[in-house]
Amino acid sequence: MNIQLPKETTILVTGSAGFIGFHVAKKLLEMGIDVIGIDNFNNYYDVSLKESRNKILKEFDNYKFYKGDLKDLSFVKKVLNENKNINKICHLAAQAGVRYSLENPHAYIQSNIVGFTNLIDEAKNNNIQDFIYASSSSVYGNNKKLPFSITDNVNQPISLYAASKKANELIAHSYHHLYGMNCTGLRFFTVYGPYGRPDMAPILFSDAIYNKQAIKVFNHGKMKRDFTYIDDIIEGVLSALYHSYPYEIFNLGNNKSIELNYFIELIEKNLDKKAEKQMMDIQPGDVENTCADIDYSREKLNFEPKTSIEEGIEKFISWYKEYYKHA
Ligand SMILES: NC(=O)c1ccc[n+]([C@@H]2O[C@H](COP(=O)([O-])OP(=O)(O)OC[C@H]3O[C@@H](n4cnc5c(N)ncnc54)[C@H](O)[C@@H]3O)[C@@H](O)[C@H]2O)c1
């Protein structure tokens, strides 16, 4: 896939100092597209990692950055008023994480519901037609049928995080219906890669293995995840931005379910260190298995993930060692 967006496009990328937002913004900037980034640098995880990502983006002349919070309507109005040239929005800012939604539910309402609504409503007020946003595989909850298809029922979320993402899909539909906006929701499946999130398994496990601490292996290692490499996700996001369909939901996953035990083995191999495992029961809110049915994404987005878990973990660990200066 070789997506080319017209050079005169200006895209607002929210969460641009976040893991996926950073990679999407960087790719767009490299393509010569003007990018306006927004992030509030919240301290859900290591803020210095967000600063490192943003520093890389700031090296591009075609990048303009606003620090602020999407829950603040006056801030959202200001950014859109000052940038009447925005043609598309790629909304990736959110309070992410399933487990943290049990601890701090309000963060999810503020960022994922209030922030989302502020942004889509101001997009409508400023006649910005194309709105591409992050949903999540979490919306499938404890769906027993695998792989998860976009035609499956997603009315039984098992965490507030999942409920907030499902709510985003519903809000987007109402804006499409009422105002003719082009809204595409992307259900990402466990994304990993360089500059990844420190609250997710790849960095958590690597840190613990490196520091000779026990890793908590939930569901006794029997948990399975459809790990999707960041480069494949970027391709899917670019294609969604390019097509800007009237109203769609797509799964962006690797279409392969990987058992946690095998995933740990790969990290051990690449770090050349053994893990000490502390076997744990499954956590409330966690789902046992995820796998994306990507037939529809193949058909409409030409989406074809290319990175195997073996190759992806090798690239991730190589970045991890360099970034965290672990020889
Ligand atoms: N990484 C994954 O595996 C995964 C899987 C499914 C869905 N998603 C979704 O993809 C999107 C990007 O995820 P990520 O992994 O890059 O997460 P991330 O936490 O690294 O990035 C999100 C960024 O948004 C910013 N942010 C949060 N709330 C904000 C607000 N109210 N105003 C302004 N900025 C705010 C954060 O500071 C952060 O930098 C999120 O919507 C997430 O829910 C991610």
Side-chain angles (χ1 to χ4, degrees):
M1 193 168 25
N2 186 15
I3 298 286
Q4 289 302 330
L5 286 150
K7 284 263 173 9
E8 53 282 4
T9 314
T10 300
I11 303 184
L12 173 66
V13 178
T14 69
S16 57
F19 170 38
I20 301 175
F22 158 69
H23 282 283
V24 169
K26 183 163 171 283
K27 181 77 183 184
L28 291 168
L29 291 165
E30 285 164 354
M31 289 163 69
I33 306 281
D34 288 338
V35 173
I36 293 163
I38 287 183
D39 206 291
N40 68 354
F41 285 91
N42 70 47
N43 64 1
Y44 168 61
Y45 63 74
D46 181 16
V47 174
S48 73
L49 178 61
K50 298 183 183 185
E51 285 165 351
S52 302
R53 296 177 185 132
N54 202 41
K55 194 167 161 236
I56 295 171
L57 299 181
K58 278 182 157 174
E59 281 164 17
F60 289 86
D61 292 340
N62 42 342
Y63 183 60
K64 190 169 165 189
F65 178 70
Y66 286 85
K67 182 174 177 182
D69 201 311
L70 294 171
K71 71 172 187 266
D72 174 0
L73 181 58
S74 60
F75 166 71
V76 178
K77 280 183 187 288
K78 174 183 141 76
V79 176
L80 296 197
N81 269 330
E82 285 181 11
N83 297 283
K84 293 287 182 194
N85 53 339
I86 295 172
N87 341 74
K88 291 175 190 280
I89 293 182
C90 183
H91 177 41
L92 301 170
Q95 179 56 58
V98 169
R99 288 175 198 151
Y100 186 61
S101 67
L102 280 77
E103 245 174 77
N104 188 357
H106 299 290
Y108 292 75
I109 300 303
Q110 291 306 318
S111 286
N112 304 5
I113 305 295
V114 177
F116 186 97
T117 308
N118 285 345
L119 186 65
I120 198 168
D121 196 57
E122 280 311 305
K124 180 262 289 177
N125 292 339
N126 285 275
N127 299 317
I128 303 168
Q129 278 285 114
D130 301 340
F131 191 87
I132 281 71
Y133 63 96
S135 183
S136 167
S137 59
S138 309
V139 298
Y140 291 105
N142 272 334
N143 202 11
K144 293 292 173 227
K145 181 189 140 286
L146 287 158
F148 297 164
S149 157
I150 49 149
T151 56
D152 293 346
N153 176 327
V154 288
N155 290 328
Q156 278 87 34
I158 62 164
S159 68
L160 186 68
Y161 171 65
S164 73
K165 289 292 173 181
K166 168 72 185 176
N168 290 167
E169 296 178 357
L170 298 173
I171 295 168
H173 189 270
S174 69
Y175 273 74
H176 161 68
H177 175 78
L178 291 169
Y179 311 114
M181 285 176 66
N182 300 323
C183 298
T184 296
L186 302 171
R187 292 179 180 166
F188 298 139
F189 282 67
T190 319
V191 189
Y192 73 103
Y195 288 92
R197 266 175 34 209
D199 63 317
M200 292 181 68
I203 293 193
L204 286 178
F205 289 176
S206 301
D207 278 350
I209 296 173
Y210 189 80
N211 295 313
K212 299 193 171 61
Q213 286 160 352
I215 55 175
K216 288 183 178 152
V217 184
F218 294 110
N219 204 21
H220 304 269
K222 298 288 172 219
M223 202 118 108
K224 285 178 154 188
R225 285 289 175 273
D226 192 353
F227 289 101
T228 314
Y229 193 66
I230 184 69
D231 291 359
D232 292 321
I233 290 290
I234 296 170
E235 291 288 296
V237 175
L238 289 187
S239 182
L241 282 165
Y242 172 79
H243 286 96
S244 289
Y245 287 114
Y247 181 82
E248 295 289 354
I249 302 280
F250 293 110
N251 281 341
L252 294 186
N254 199 42
N255 185 228
K256 284 182 189 65
S257 209
I258 304 293
E259 198 169 286
L260 209 52
N261 277 329
Y262 180 59
F263 175 78
I264 295 168
E265 249 176 60
L266 289 176
I267 296 185
E268 289 179 316
K269 182 176 152 218
N270 283 281
L271 279 177
D272 197 19
K273 288 186 195 309
K274 270 282 179 221
E276 188 193 321
K277 298 182 196 170
Q278 186 185 352
M279 294 301 178
M280 312 272 289
D281 290 336
I282 194 162
Q283 295 284 289
D286 271 1
V287 305
E288 282 178 42
N289 197 343
T290 68
C291 185
D293 177 334
I294 53 172
D295 286 353
Y296 192 61
S297 312
R298 280 194 176 105
E299 181 192 324
K300 302 273 283 192
L301 294 178
N302 207 9
F303 177 68
E304 196 53 68
K306 294 184 191 72
T307 318
S308 67
I309 188 76
E310 292 79 10
E311 189 191 341
I313 291 292
E314 193 181 328
K315 287 182 178 171
F316 162 73
I317 294 291
S318 148
W319 166 81
Y320 172 82
K321 284 183 185 163
E322 198 187 318
Y323 185 81
Y324 291 104
K325 302 194 173 34
H326 293 335

Short mmCIF file of all heavy atoms in Angstrom, two decimals, residues 46-98:
data_model
loop_
_atom_site.label_atom_id
_atom_site.label_comp_id
_atom_site.label_asym_id
_atom_site.label_seq_id
_atom_site.Cartn_x
_atom_site.Cartn_y
_atom_site.Cartn_z
N ASP A 46 4.95 8.10 32.05
CA ASP A 46 6.17 8.92 31.94
C ASP A 46 6.06 10.07 30.93
O ASP A 46 6.06 9.84 29.71
CB ASP A 46 7.31 7.97 31.56
CG ASP A 46 8.64 8.69 31.44
OD1 ASP A 46 8.74 9.83 31.94
OD2 ASP A 46 9.56 8.11 30.84
N VAL A 47 6.00 11.29 31.47
CA VAL A 47 5.82 12.47 30.61
C VAL A 47 7.06 12.71 29.73
O VAL A 47 6.95 13.21 28.61
CB VAL A 47 5.50 13.71 31.48
CG1 VAL A 47 5.44 14.98 30.64
CG2 VAL A 47 4.16 13.52 32.21
N SER A 48 8.23 12.29 30.22
CA SER A 48 9.45 12.55 29.44
C SER A 48 9.42 11.78 28.12
O SER A 48 10.00 12.23 27.12
CB SER A 48 10.70 12.22 30.25
OG SER A 48 10.85 10.83 30.36
N LEU A 49 8.73 10.64 28.08
CA LEU A 49 8.61 9.89 26.81
C LEU A 49 7.75 10.70 25.83
O LEU A 49 8.06 10.79 24.63
CB LEU A 49 8.00 8.50 27.07
CG LEU A 49 7.76 7.61 25.85
CD1 LEU A 49 9.07 7.30 25.11
CD2 LEU A 49 7.10 6.28 26.28
N LYS A 50 6.70 11.33 26.34
CA LYS A 50 5.84 12.18 25.48
C LYS A 50 6.66 13.36 24.96
O LYS A 50 6.54 13.76 23.81
CB LYS A 50 4.61 12.67 26.26
CG LYS A 50 3.71 11.53 26.73
CD LYS A 50 2.45 12.02 27.43
CE LYS A 50 1.65 10.82 27.91
NZ LYS A 50 0.37 11.15 28.51
N GLU A 51 7.50 13.91 25.86
CA GLU A 51 8.34 15.05 25.44
C GLU A 51 9.34 14.63 24.37
O GLU A 51 9.59 15.37 23.42
CB GLU A 51 9.05 15.65 26.66
CG GLU A 51 8.08 16.47 27.50
CD GLU A 51 8.61 16.78 28.91
OE1 GLU A 51 9.66 16.22 29.30
OE2 GLU A 51 7.95 17.55 29.62
N SER A 52 9.90 13.44 24.52
CA SER A 52 10.87 12.95 23.51
C SER A 52 10.20 12.81 22.16
O SER A 52 10.77 13.16 21.13
CB SER A 52 11.42 11.58 23.88
OG SER A 52 12.02 11.60 25.10
N ARG A 53 8.98 12.26 22.17
CA ARG A 53 8.28 12.09 20.89
C ARG A 53 8.00 13.46 20.27
O ARG A 53 8.25 13.69 19.08
CB ARG A 53 6.94 11.37 21.12
CG ARG A 53 7.04 9.96 21.65
CD ARG A 53 5.63 9.45 21.89
NE ARG A 53 5.51 8.14 22.49
CZ ARG A 53 4.71 7.85 23.52
NH1 ARG A 53 3.97 8.80 24.07
NH2 ARG A 53 4.65 6.64 24.00
N ASN A 54 7.51 14.40 21.10
CA ASN A 54 7.15 15.72 20.58
C ASN A 54 8.37 16.48 20.07
O ASN A 54 8.27 17.24 19.11
CB ASN A 54 6.41 16.52 21.65
CG ASN A 54 5.55 17.61 21.06
OD1 ASN A 54 4.90 17.40 20.05
ND2 ASN A 54 5.57 18.79 21.64
N LYS A 55 9.51 16.24 20.70
CA LYS A 55 10.75 16.90 20.28
C LYS A 55 11.10 16.49 18.84
O LYS A 55 11.51 17.31 18.03
CB LYS A 55 11.87 16.48 21.24
CG LYS A 55 13.09 17.32 21.15
CD LYS A 55 14.02 17.05 22.33
CE LYS A 55 15.41 17.54 21.99
NZ LYS A 55 16.44 16.54 22.09
N ILE A 56 10.88 15.22 18.55
CA ILE A 56 11.17 14.72 17.19
C ILE A 56 10.23 15.40 16.18
O ILE A 56 10.65 15.85 15.12
CB ILE A 56 11.03 13.17 17.14
CG1 ILE A 56 12.08 12.53 18.04
CG2 ILE A 56 11.11 12.66 15.70
CD1 ILE A 56 11.93 11.04 18.24
N LEU A 57 8.96 15.52 16.55
CA LEU A 57 7.99 16.14 15.63
C LEU A 57 8.31 17.62 15.41
O LEU A 57 8.14 18.15 14.31
CB LEU A 57 6.56 15.99 16.17
CG LEU A 57 6.05 14.56 16.36
CD1 LEU A 57 4.61 14.57 16.88
CD2 LEU A 57 6.11 13.76 15.05
N LYS A 58 8.77 18.26 16.47
CA LYS A 58 9.03 19.71 16.39
C LYS A 58 10.18 20.05 15.44
O LYS A 58 10.33 21.20 15.04
CB LYS A 58 9.32 20.28 17.78
CG LYS A 58 8.04 20.57 18.55
CD LYS A 58 8.38 21.18 19.88
CE LYS A 58 7.23 21.99 20.44
NZ LYS A 58 7.53 22.45 21.80
N GLU A 59 10.95 19.03 15.06
CA GLU A 59 12.03 19.28 14.10
C GLU A 59 11.50 19.53 12.69
O GLU A 59 12.21 20.02 11.83
CB GLU A 59 13.01 18.09 14.09
CG GLU A 59 13.96 18.15 15.28
CD GLU A 59 14.68 16.85 15.55
OE1 GLU A 59 14.71 15.99 14.65
OE2 GLU A 59 15.19 16.70 16.68
N PHE A 60 10.25 19.20 12.46
CA PHE A 60 9.66 19.40 11.13
C PHE A 60 9.06 20.81 11.04
O PHE A 60 8.32 21.24 11.93
CB PHE A 60 8.53 18.38 10.88
CG PHE A 60 9.01 16.98 10.68
CD1 PHE A 60 9.24 16.15 11.77
CD2 PHE A 60 9.22 16.46 9.41
CE1 PHE A 60 9.68 14.84 11.61
CE2 PHE A 60 9.65 15.16 9.23
CZ PHE A 60 9.88 14.35 10.33
N ASP A 61 9.35 21.51 9.93
CA ASP A 61 8.81 22.86 9.74
C ASP A 61 7.29 22.85 9.55
O ASP A 61 6.62 23.84 9.80
CB ASP A 61 9.42 23.50 8.47
CG ASP A 61 10.89 23.78 8.68
OD1 ASP A 61 11.31 23.85 9.86
OD2 ASP A 61 11.62 23.91 7.67
N ASN A 62 6.78 21.73 9.05
CA ASN A 62 5.33 21.66 8.77
C ASN A 62 4.52 21.18 9.99
O ASN A 62 3.38 20.76 9.84
CB ASN A 62 5.04 20.77 7.55
CG ASN A 62 5.86 19.49 7.48
OD1 ASN A 62 6.87 19.37 8.15
ND2 ASN A 62 5.40 18.55 6.68
N TYR A 63 5.14 21.23 11.17
CA TYR A 63 4.43 20.82 12.41
C TYR A 63 4.17 22.03 13.29
O TYR A 63 5.06 22.84 13.54
CB TYR A 63 5.30 19.82 13.17
CG TYR A 63 4.67 19.26 14.43
CD1 TYR A 63 3.48 18.55 14.38
CD2 TYR A 63 5.29 19.42 15.68
CE1 TYR A 63 2.92 18.01 15.53
CE2 TYR A 63 4.73 18.88 16.83
CZ TYR A 63 3.55 18.18 16.75
OH TYR A 63 2.99 17.65 17.89
N LYS A 64 2.93 22.12 13.75
CA LYS A 64 2.56 23.19 14.68
C LYS A 64 1.92 22.50 15.88
O LYS A 64 1.07 21.63 15.70
CB LYS A 64 1.54 24.08 13.96
CG LYS A 64 1.19 25.36 14.64
CD LYS A 64 0.40 26.20 13.65
CE LYS A 64 -0.32 27.35 14.27
NZ LYS A 64 -1.23 28.00 13.31
N PHE A 65 2.32 22.88 17.08
CA PHE A 65 1.84 22.13 18.25
C PHE A 65 1.12 23.02 19.25
O PHE A 65 1.54 24.16 19.50
CB PHE A 65 3.03 21.45 18.95
CG PHE A 65 2.61 20.71 20.18
CD1 PHE A 65 1.86 19.54 20.08
CD2 PHE A 65 2.94 21.18 21.45
CE1 PHE A 65 1.44 18.86 21.23
CE2 PHE A 65 2.53 20.50 22.59
CZ PHE A 65 1.78 19.35 22.47
N TYR A 66 0.03 22.50 19.79
CA TYR A 66 -0.70 23.18 20.87
C TYR A 66 -0.75 22.27 22.09
O TYR A 66 -1.23 21.13 21.98
CB TYR A 66 -2.15 23.46 20.45
CG TYR A 66 -2.32 24.57 19.45
CD1 TYR A 66 -2.18 24.32 18.08
CD2 TYR A 66 -2.63 25.86 19.86
CE1 TYR A 66 -2.35 25.33 17.15
CE2 TYR A 66 -2.80 26.88 18.94
CZ TYR A 66 -2.66 26.61 17.59
OH TYR A 66 -2.83 27.62 16.68
N LYS A 67 -0.30 22.78 23.21
CA LYS A 67 -0.44 22.02 24.45
C LYS A 67 -1.76 22.44 25.10
O LYS A 67 -1.96 23.64 25.35
CB LYS A 67 0.74 22.30 25.38
CG LYS A 67 0.66 21.49 26.65
CD LYS A 67 1.89 21.65 27.52
CE LYS A 67 1.70 20.87 28.81
NZ LYS A 67 2.81 21.01 29.72
N GLY A 68 -2.63 21.50 25.34
CA GLY A 68 -3.89 21.84 25.98
C GLY A 68 -4.77 20.62 26.10
O GLY A 68 -4.44 19.54 25.59
N ASP A 69 -5.90 20.81 26.78
CA ASP A 69 -6.78 19.68 27.09
C ASP A 69 -8.08 19.76 26.29
O ASP A 69 -8.75 20.80 26.29
CB ASP A 69 -7.09 19.72 28.60
CG ASP A 69 -7.54 18.36 29.09
OD1 ASP A 69 -8.43 17.76 28.47
OD2 ASP A 69 -6.98 17.90 30.10
N LEU A 70 -8.44 18.67 25.66
CA LEU A 70 -9.65 18.64 24.82
C LEU A 70 -10.92 18.80 25.64
O LEU A 70 -11.98 19.14 25.09
CB LEU A 70 -9.72 17.34 24.01
CG LEU A 70 -8.63 17.16 22.95
CD1 LEU A 70 -8.67 15.74 22.38
CD2 LEU A 70 -8.80 18.18 21.82
N LYS A 71 -10.83 18.56 26.93
CA LYS A 71 -12.05 18.74 27.74
C LYS A 71 -12.36 20.23 27.94
O LYS A 71 -13.45 20.60 28.37
CB LYS A 71 -11.95 17.99 29.06
CG LYS A 71 -10.98 18.57 30.06
CD LYS A 71 -11.14 17.83 31.40
CE LYS A 71 -10.32 18.48 32.49
NZ LYS A 71 -9.01 17.87 32.65
N ASP A 72 -11.38 21.07 27.60
CA ASP A 72 -11.54 22.52 27.72
C ASP A 72 -12.05 23.07 26.38
O ASP A 72 -11.29 23.23 25.42
CB ASP A 72 -10.16 23.10 28.10
CG ASP A 72 -10.14 24.61 28.11
OD1 ASP A 72 -11.19 25.23 27.83
OD2 ASP A 72 -9.06 25.16 28.39
N LEU A 73 -13.34 23.34 26.34
CA LEU A 73 -13.97 23.74 25.07
C LEU A 73 -13.35 25.01 24.49
O LEU A 73 -13.18 25.13 23.27
CB LEU A 73 -15.49 23.90 25.26
CG LEU A 73 -16.30 24.29 24.02
CD1 LEU A 73 -16.13 23.29 22.88
CD2 LEU A 73 -17.79 24.43 24.37
N SER A 74 -12.99 25.97 25.37
CA SER A 74 -12.42 27.22 24.84
C SER A 74 -11.07 26.94 24.15
O SER A 74 -10.74 27.58 23.15
CB SER A 74 -12.27 28.26 25.95
OG SER A 74 -11.42 27.76 26.93
N PHE A 75 -10.33 25.97 24.65
CA PHE A 75 -9.06 25.59 24.02
C PHE A 75 -9.31 24.99 22.62
O PHE A 75 -8.66 25.36 21.64
CB PHE A 75 -8.31 24.60 24.92
CG PHE A 75 -7.16 23.90 24.23
CD1 PHE A 75 -5.99 24.59 23.91
CD2 PHE A 75 -7.25 22.55 23.88
CE1 PHE A 75 -4.93 23.95 23.26
CE2 PHE A 75 -6.20 21.91 23.23
CZ PHE A 75 -5.04 22.61 22.92
N VAL A 76 -10.29 24.11 22.54
CA VAL A 76 -10.59 23.45 21.25
C VAL A 76 -11.05 24.52 20.24
O VAL A 76 -10.60 24.54 19.08
CB VAL A 76 -11.67 22.35 21.42
CG1 VAL A 76 -12.04 21.71 20.09
CG2 VAL A 76 -11.19 21.28 22.40
N LYS A 77 -11.89 25.43 20.70
CA LYS A 77 -12.38 26.52 19.82
C LYS A 77 -11.20 27.35 19.31
O LYS A 77 -11.13 27.69 18.14
CB LYS A 77 -13.35 27.43 20.58
CG LYS A 77 -14.78 26.89 20.70
CD LYS A 77 -15.66 27.92 21.41
CE LYS A 77 -17.04 27.41 21.71
NZ LYS A 77 -17.91 27.27 20.55
N LYS A 78 -10.31 27.69 20.22
CA LYS A 78 -9.15 28.52 19.86
C LYS A 78 -8.31 27.84 18.76
O LYS A 78 -7.98 28.47 17.75
CB LYS A 78 -8.30 28.76 21.12
CG LYS A 78 -6.98 29.48 20.90
CD LYS A 78 -6.22 29.57 22.23
CE LYS A 78 -4.74 29.37 22.10
NZ LYS A 78 -3.95 30.40 21.58
N VAL A 79 -8.01 26.56 18.95
CA VAL A 79 -7.16 25.86 17.96
C VAL A 79 -7.85 25.84 16.59
O VAL A 79 -7.23 26.14 15.56
CB VAL A 79 -6.84 24.41 18.41
CG1 VAL A 79 -6.05 23.67 17.33
CG2 VAL A 79 -6.06 24.41 19.73
N LEU A 80 -9.14 25.54 16.57
CA LEU A 80 -9.82 25.45 15.27
C LEU A 80 -10.03 26.83 14.65
O LEU A 80 -9.96 26.99 13.43
CB LEU A 80 -11.14 24.68 15.39
CG LEU A 80 -11.01 23.21 15.79
CD1 LEU A 80 -12.27 22.42 15.50
CD2 LEU A 80 -9.84 22.49 15.11
N ASN A 81 -10.23 27.85 15.49
CA ASN A 81 -10.37 29.22 14.97
C ASN A 81 -9.08 29.73 14.36
O ASN A 81 -9.10 30.45 13.37
CB ASN A 81 -10.76 30.18 16.11
CG ASN A 81 -12.27 30.27 16.21
OD1 ASN A 81 -12.95 30.12 15.19
ND2 ASN A 81 -12.78 30.49 17.41
N GLU A 82 -7.98 29.36 14.99
CA GLU A 82 -6.68 29.85 14.50
C GLU A 82 -6.18 29.08 13.28
O GLU A 82 -5.19 29.47 12.67
CB GLU A 82 -5.63 29.74 15.62
CG GLU A 82 -5.81 30.81 16.68
CD GLU A 82 -4.75 30.72 17.79
OE1 GLU A 82 -3.76 29.98 17.65
OE2 GLU A 82 -4.95 31.40 18.80
N ASN A 83 -6.85 27.97 12.96
CA ASN A 83 -6.36 27.11 11.87
C ASN A 83 -7.50 26.73 10.94
O ASN A 83 -7.93 25.58 10.89
CB ASN A 83 -5.69 25.86 12.45
CG ASN A 83 -4.48 26.21 13.28
OD1 ASN A 83 -3.42 26.50 12.74
ND2 ASN A 83 -4.65 26.22 14.60
N LYS A 84 -7.98 27.71 10.20
CA LYS A 84 -9.14 27.50 9.33
C LYS A 84 -8.81 26.58 8.15
O LYS A 84 -9.69 26.18 7.39
CB LYS A 84 -9.67 28.84 8.81
CG LYS A 84 -10.26 29.72 9.92
CD LYS A 84 -11.61 29.18 10.38
CE LYS A 84 -12.25 30.06 11.43
NZ LYS A 84 -13.37 29.41 12.13
N ASN A 85 -7.52 26.27 7.99
CA ASN A 85 -7.09 25.41 6.88
C ASN A 85 -7.18 23.91 7.17
O ASN A 85 -6.85 23.10 6.30
CB ASN A 85 -5.65 25.77 6.46
CG ASN A 85 -4.69 25.73 7.65
OD1 ASN A 85 -5.13 25.81 8.80
ND2 ASN A 85 -3.41 25.59 7.39
N ILE A 86 -7.61 23.53 8.38
CA ILE A 86 -7.67 22.09 8.69
C ILE A 86 -8.73 21.42 7.81
O ILE A 86 -9.88 21.85 7.78
CB ILE A 86 -8.01 21.86 10.19
CG1 ILE A 86 -6.89 22.39 11.08
CG2 ILE A 86 -8.28 20.38 10.48
CD1 ILE A 86 -7.22 22.40 12.57
N ASN A 87 -8.34 20.35 7.06
CA ASN A 87 -9.35 19.63 6.26
C ASN A 87 -9.74 18.30 6.87
O ASN A 87 -10.78 17.75 6.54
CB ASN A 87 -8.91 19.28 4.83
CG ASN A 87 -7.77 20.05 4.30
OD1 ASN A 87 -6.64 19.83 4.68
ND2 ASN A 87 -8.09 20.97 3.41
N LYS A 88 -8.86 17.73 7.70
CA LYS A 88 -9.19 16.42 8.28
C LYS A 88 -8.74 16.38 9.73
O LYS A 88 -7.72 16.99 10.08
CB LYS A 88 -8.44 15.30 7.53
CG LYS A 88 -8.92 15.05 6.10
CD LYS A 88 -8.02 14.02 5.41
CE LYS A 88 -8.30 13.91 3.92
NZ LYS A 88 -9.46 13.10 3.58
N ILE A 89 -9.48 15.61 10.52
CA ILE A 89 -9.07 15.41 11.92
C ILE A 89 -8.76 13.93 12.14
O ILE A 89 -9.53 13.06 11.72
CB ILE A 89 -10.17 15.88 12.89
CG1 ILE A 89 -10.32 17.42 12.77
CG2 ILE A 89 -9.84 15.48 14.33
CD1 ILE A 89 -11.34 18.04 13.69
N CYS A 90 -7.63 13.69 12.77
CA CYS A 90 -7.28 12.32 13.15
C CYS A 90 -7.21 12.33 14.68
O CYS A 90 -6.22 12.77 15.27
CB CYS A 90 -5.92 11.96 12.53
SG CYS A 90 -5.46 10.27 12.88
N HIS A 91 -8.29 11.88 15.28
CA HIS A 91 -8.45 12.03 16.73
C HIS A 91 -7.95 10.78 17.47
O HIS A 91 -8.66 9.78 17.55
CB HIS A 91 -9.92 12.30 17.03
CG HIS A 91 -10.21 12.41 18.50
ND1 HIS A 91 -9.37 13.07 19.37
CD2 HIS A 91 -11.24 11.95 19.26
CE1 HIS A 91 -9.87 13.00 20.59
NE2 HIS A 91 -10.99 12.31 20.55
N LEU A 92 -6.74 10.91 18.03
CA LEU A 92 -6.12 9.76 18.70
C LEU A 92 -5.91 10.00 20.20
O LEU A 92 -5.51 9.10 20.92
CB LEU A 92 -4.78 9.41 18.03
CG LEU A 92 -4.89 9.06 16.53
CD1 LEU A 92 -3.51 8.96 15.90
CD2 LEU A 92 -5.65 7.76 16.33
N ALA A 93 -6.18 11.22 20.65
CA ALA A 93 -6.04 11.50 22.09
C ALA A 93 -7.16 10.79 22.83
O ALA A 93 -8.30 10.79 22.40
CB ALA A 93 -6.12 13.00 22.35
N ALA A 94 -6.82 10.18 23.94
CA ALA A 94 -7.83 9.57 24.80
C ALA A 94 -7.16 9.15 26.08
O ALA A 94 -5.93 9.05 26.15
CB ALA A 94 -8.43 8.32 24.14
N GLN A 95 -7.97 8.93 27.10
CA GLN A 95 -7.45 8.23 28.27
C GLN A 95 -7.48 6.75 27.90
O GLN A 95 -8.55 6.17 27.73
CB GLN A 95 -8.30 8.51 29.51
CG GLN A 95 -7.81 7.77 30.74
CD GLN A 95 -6.36 8.08 31.07
OE1 GLN A 95 -5.99 9.22 31.29
NE2 GLN A 95 -5.49 7.06 31.07
N ALA A 96 -6.29 6.19 27.69
CA ALA A 96 -6.20 4.78 27.29
C ALA A 96 -6.03 3.89 28.52
O ALA A 96 -5.86 4.39 29.64
CB ALA A 96 -5.01 4.62 26.34
N GLY A 97 -6.08 2.58 28.30
CA GLY A 97 -5.84 1.62 29.37
C GLY A 97 -7.13 1.09 29.96
O GLY A 97 -8.03 1.86 30.27
N VAL A 98 -7.20 -0.23 30.09
CA VAL A 98 -8.41 -0.86 30.65
C VAL A 98 -8.37 -0.83 32.17
O VAL A 98 -9.31 -0.39 32.82
CB VAL A 98 -8.54 -2.32 30.14
CG1 VAL A 98 -9.62 -3.07 30.91
CG2 VAL A 98 -8.85 -2.34 28.65
#
